[in-house]
Amino acid sequence: MTNELPDGYEISTDPARIDVGLTHRWLSEDAYWAIGRSLEKHETAIASSLNFGVYDQASGAQLAYARVVTDRTTFAWLCDVYVDRGARGKGLGGALVEAVKAHLEPYGLRRILLATADAHGVYARSGFAPLGTPEKWMLFGEQ
């Protein structure tokens, strides 16, 4: 299923458009996986990743964010997906995930991985599924 971006919004991969202060606040104060992340770590993450923003075309305000860590050859990790609380329910998150997939498609990646505790439905609509063989995967660090 394809999630189209509603009229009046645009997606950009220009890292210069990312509102660093806003996205840091979203993640460090409201995203369970990034609570307490320092601004310095956030800035480094932005500089080391592909960045995606959803913007209101009329005001230019950023309403959503996602980043991808990838070698652009075999693997990508979709992370830090966040939609502003006031903009949720408009289809922006699903459209953002579809835009990320479309952007990565030319690389011919073997897999795109993500982790979520509460948005399985959003990602399932974009074709993501639980790991078929989780026993193959291992983790070093926090669970």
Side-chain angles (χ1 to χ4, degrees), residues 15 17-25 39 42-43 46 62:
R17 289 190 69 185
I18 300 298
D19 185 331
V20 177
L22 176 65
T23 56
H24 175 254
R25 191 180 78 240
L39 179 58
H42 183 61
E43 290 171 336
I46 288 172
Q62 186 169 354

Side-chain angles (χ1 to χ4, degrees), residues 31-109:
Y32 66 85
W33 65 90
I35 297 294
R37 181 182 294 169
S38 72
L39 179 58
E40 179 182 38
K41 283 194 182 285
H42 183 61
E43 290 171 336
T44 300
I46 288 172
S48 302
S49 303
L50 295 174
N51 297 276
F52 297 79
V54 177
Y55 303 89
D56 180 284
Q57 287 179 323
S59 68
Q62 186 169 354
L63 301 172
Y65 175 71
R67 69 183 182 91
V68 175
V69 180
T70 184
D71 61 8
R72 293 181 173 95
T73 304
T74 61
F75 179 81
W77 172 40
L78 173 59
C79 56
D80 288 345
V81 180
Y82 187 93
V83 178
D84 183 271
R85 287 190 174 273
R88 292 180 186 174
K90 299 177 182 181
L92 301 181
L96 179 57
V97 172
E98 287 297 323
V100 168
K101 286 175 39 190
H103 185 90
L104 296 175
E105 187 174 359
Y107 299 131
L109 303 174

